[in-house]
Amino acid sequence: MSLTSPVLNVKPTMDPAVAQGVLKSVFEMERAWNAHDMQAYADNLTDDCQWVNIVGMFWDGKTAVHRAHEAFHQTMFKDVGYKVEEVMVRSIATSVAIAVVTLKVGAFTTPGGTRMPENTNRLTLVLVDEGGQWRISSAQNTVVDMRAAGHDPTKG
Amino acid sequence: MSLTSPVLNVKPTMDPAVAQGVLKSVFEMERAWNAHDMQAYADNLTDDCQWVNIVGMFWDGKTAVHRAHEAFHQTMFKDVGYKVEEVMVRSIATSVAIAVVTLKVGAFTTPGGTRMPENTNRLTLVLVDEGGQWRISSAQNTVVDMRAAGHDPTKG
């Protein structure tokens, strides 16, 4: 994994306090994941949080999202960390912001026995302001296919 | 593809007018995609719309999202339709709603030459109210891995 600092890409029109609150949650989640502290991880979720993971599993509500992460951190993610490489932040309403996070995840073995090498994920987080604390209301994560990236019609 | 009607799962606390506006956009996008009318498709996007596709490509802004879809509809999606199977809708702020859409996509061949059989996608859409029209501000799409679904820790 890289030791370089993450790239922070904050839209210039954003309220700096909002950007700061959003980034605080993004990095608190990274810290909690790498400590495998799923209680701290879940403290960053709203009660009605919904989550779609890299294989399309859908978890509805903080309890389900927490339970799923807890189970996976006792098994496939037991020793697996991630590193945030880039965060793009923007506001879409007074109390709602979006962070698109690019992160590098360590190698792991899926419950089905497939070995996943170290890979890059792209994670869209929708955050809402809950009394000054920005919490995740929606998240979806996708593995970046580096081979496919060469066919992006908006590039080159 | 199935001919059954989609399942609509609207949180009971939602303003029916909001749910209706959101569903209108979801089904307008399905119609535009199946007609390969990318101009109509893009009319449902906000100017600052961001999109993460199934292989983790990231498009920033309506122009890029439109351009990417246009290019793919001239090639790999030329004859490929999708069918909405389920929509889960909730409000997260006065002017912001989230729709998690499960859809069945027809078989296609990627630009890299990989044949993708008919598959299920899960798409999170973040919609904002622009003067009565609910437009997509953020979207992320993931292929549902049916084999992995058996290992969902929140099920069974």
Side-chain angles (χ1 to χ4, degrees):
Chain A
M1 301 219 182
S2 160
L3 291 174
T4 54
S5 296
V7 174
L8 305 181
N9 190 331
V10 176
K11 296 275 177 193
T13 49
M14 265 195 96
D15 177 343
V18 171
Q20 205 177 324
V22 167
L23 290 170
K24 185 169 174 286
S25 293
V26 168
F27 290 108
E28 169 52 24
M29 290 182 82
E30 180 192 38
R31 195 209 58 75
W33 176 290
N34 289 329
H36 307 288
D37 179 350
M38 290 301 110
Q39 186 56 59
Y41 193 79
D43 286 346
N44 292 288
L45 310 175
T46 65
D47 286 344
D48 66 345
C49 177
Q50 293 178 327
W51 197 287
V52 178
N53 83 345
I54 56 167
V55 287
M57 289 177 189
F58 172 70
W59 303 316
D60 193 9
K62 179 181 179 163
T63 304
V65 175
H66 184 187
R67 188 171 153 201
H69 279 90
E70 192 73 62
F72 285 149
H73 276 263
Q74 284 165 15
T75 52
M76 71 173 156
F77 295 140
K78 199 180 166 65
D79 302 305
V80 178
Y82 76 73
K83 169 102 180 62
V84 171
E85 294 193 328
E86 185 178 1
V87 191
M88 304 191 60
V89 193
R90 68 189 166 111
S91 289
I92 64 165
T94 312
S95 62
V96 186
I98 291 188
V100 178
V101 183
T102 306
L103 48 92
K104 185 87 87 180
V105 187
F108 62 92
T109 302
T110 71
T114 305
R115 186 68 184 162
M116 280 283 284
E118 185 183 72
N119 63 91
T120 300
N121 285 188
R122 196 152 276 143
L123 174 68
T124 296
L125 300 173
V126 182
L127 299 102
V128 300
D129 182 5
E130 292 192 330
Q133 163 107 30
W134 287 80
R135 289 201 174 87
I136 315 302
S137 180
S138 169
Q140 183 154 344
N141 200 13
T142 301
V143 177
V144 177
D145 180 335
M146 292 300 181
R147 232 169 52 97
H151 299 283
D152 188 332
T154 69
K155 300 267 159 52
Chain B
M1 302 221 179
S2 159
L3 291 173
T4 55
S5 297
V7 175
L8 305 182
N9 190 331
V10 177
K11 296 277 175 191
T13 49
M14 265 196 95
D15 178 342
V18 171
Q20 205 177 322
V22 168
L23 290 169
K24 186 169 174 287
S25 293
V26 168
F27 290 109
E28 169 52 24
M29 290 183 82
E30 180 191 38
R31 194 208 60 74
W33 175 291
N34 289 331
H36 307 290
D37 179 350
M38 289 302 109
Q39 186 55 60
Y41 193 78
D43 285 346
N44 291 288
L45 311 175
T46 65
D47 287 343
D48 66 345
C49 177
Q50 293 177 327
W51 197 288
V52 178
N53 85 344
I54 56 167
V55 286
M57 288 176 190
F58 172 71
W59 303 315
D60 194 9
K62 179 181 179 164
T63 304
V65 175
H66 183 187
R67 187 171 153 202
H69 279 91
E70 193 73 62
F72 285 149
H73 276 263
Q74 284 164 14
T75 52
M76 71 172 158
F77 295 140
K78 201 178 163 66
D79 302 306
V80 178
Y82 75 73
K83 169 105 181 62
V84 171
E85 294 193 328
E86 184 179 2
V87 191
M88 304 189 60
V89 192
R90 67 188 166 111
S91 290
I92 63 164
T94 313
S95 62
V96 186
I98 291 188
V100 179
V101 182
T102 305
L103 49 91
K104 185 87 86 181
V105 186
F108 62 93
T109 302
T110 70
T114 305
R115 187 69 184 161
M116 280 283 286
E118 185 184 73
N119 63 92
T120 300
N121 286 188
R122 196 151 277 143
L123 174 69
T124 297
L125 300 174
V126 182
L127 298 102
V128 300
D129 182 3
E130 292 192 332
Q133 163 107 30
W134 287 80
R135 289 201 174 88
I136 316 301
S137 181
S138 169
Q140 183 154 344
N141 200 14
T142 301
V143 177
V144 178
D145 180 336
M146 292 302 183
R147 231 170 51 98
H151 298 285
D152 187 332
T154 69
K155 301 267 159 54

